[in-house]
Amino acid sequence: MAEKAKFVGSIQHTEDTLQRLFKTEYRTYHQLQILSQLAAGFLMAALALTVEMSRPLQGVLLLAGCLIMVSGDLPASLRADKAADSRKGQLPKNVCTFFNSAMELSGEGAMRLEYSRFQRLVEDSGYLYLFLGRKSVCMIDKAAVTGGTAEELKDFVAQKTGLAWRRNRSFLSMNLADLRQAIRDRRAR
């Protein structure tokens, strides 16, 4: 007798969902890099405004500092654009079927994933992200969950994986605990 599915989650990818996916991966696994970039840009802008120097050099330093500060997840955006372009508009639909023993992913192929393989669980307002590692993630549209609510699916996955769900925070709202977690995550890689 086949095992009965507890939940089914899916996503029909669009260019917007690819952007969200790549940005979430980047913000999840590259927090220290983004913070360092933000600090370097701030330092450049601060130097341009406080240290006496020629106007052209001051303008270049200020412009460079501002560009560095605002381009935090630009690499992720570029990767998402490249992924969308390489598929020529043929974006996949992925289906995640959750059983008591494992999850099955289908779409452009099929694979069975043990819950112990997941490394991180991240959510935002519309999607759930189940990370197997850097550049390996299952994304689920919260509105497309069947077999229960998105909250029930989250509870089920958290119990099966032993992981807690996180929300990526704005870098301006990060606190010391978030910074320590980013350092621990970096060391774990």
Side-chain angles (χ1 to χ4, degrees):
M1 183 169 129
E3 187 178 10
K4 185 175 187 237
K6 299 290 266 179
F7 297 93
V8 176
S10 63
I11 180 124
Q12 173 59 60
H13 279 290
T14 63
E15 288 188 21
D16 180 55
T17 63
L18 283 181
Q19 284 288 332
R20 287 177 82 151
L21 176 69
F22 279 87
K23 285 180 180 181
T24 299
E25 180 272 329
Y26 192 72
R27 291 173 185 157
T28 300
Y29 283 94
H30 297 92
Q31 287 180 335
L32 288 180
Q33 180 180 339
I34 295 169
L35 284 173
S36 298
Q37 182 179 329
L38 185 62
F42 180 79
L43 182 61
M44 290 172 73
L47 284 172
L49 296 172
T50 59
V51 174
E52 193 160 327
M53 61 184 77
S54 69
R55 290 279 185 219
L57 180 59
Q58 185 180 32
V60 168
L61 197 58
L62 185 60
L63 179 63
C66 290
L67 285 174
I68 289 171
M69 282 190 285
V70 300
S71 65
D73 53 16
L74 180 63
S77 272
L78 296 175
R79 282 184 39 231
D81 289 342
K82 185 177 177 181
D85 289 346
S86 70
R87 292 178 171 276
K88 297 177 178 60
Q90 301 297 318
L91 300 177
K93 176 176 183 170
N94 293 325
V95 177
C96 300
T97 308
F98 296 87
F99 300 97
N100 273 324
S101 59
M103 183 191 88
E104 288 184 2
L105 174 64
S106 60
E108 296 180 304
M111 63 177 19
R112 188 170 178 87
L113 300 167
E114 301 299 321
Y115 291 114
S116 61
R117 291 190 54 194
F118 290 99
Q119 291 181 357
R120 296 185 190 189
L121 306 175
V122 177
E123 72 169 310
D124 63 22
S125 60
Y127 301 94
L128 303 174
Y129 306 86
L130 292 80
F131 285 95
L132 294 161
R134 292 180 64 210
K135 300 181 181 170
S136 183
V137 60
C138 301
M139 183 178 182
I140 298 169
D141 186 342
K142 287 181 177 180
V145 172
T146 61
T149 66
E151 286 300 315
E152 290 170 331
L153 173 59
K154 283 175 48 185
D155 291 342
F156 176 81
V157 171
Q159 185 232 339
K160 292 296 183 180
T161 62
L163 300 171
W165 286 92
R166 297 184 192 174
R167 281 187 175 269
N168 285 341
R169 297 172 67 164
S170 160
F171 289 100
L172 298 176
S173 68
M174 286 183 79
N175 58 30
L176 189 56
D178 296 326
L179 183 58
R180 283 196 314 246
Q181 184 62 48
I183 293 168
R184 280 195 296 271
D185 290 345
R186 175 81 174 185
R187 286 183 183 152
R189 281 191 282 161

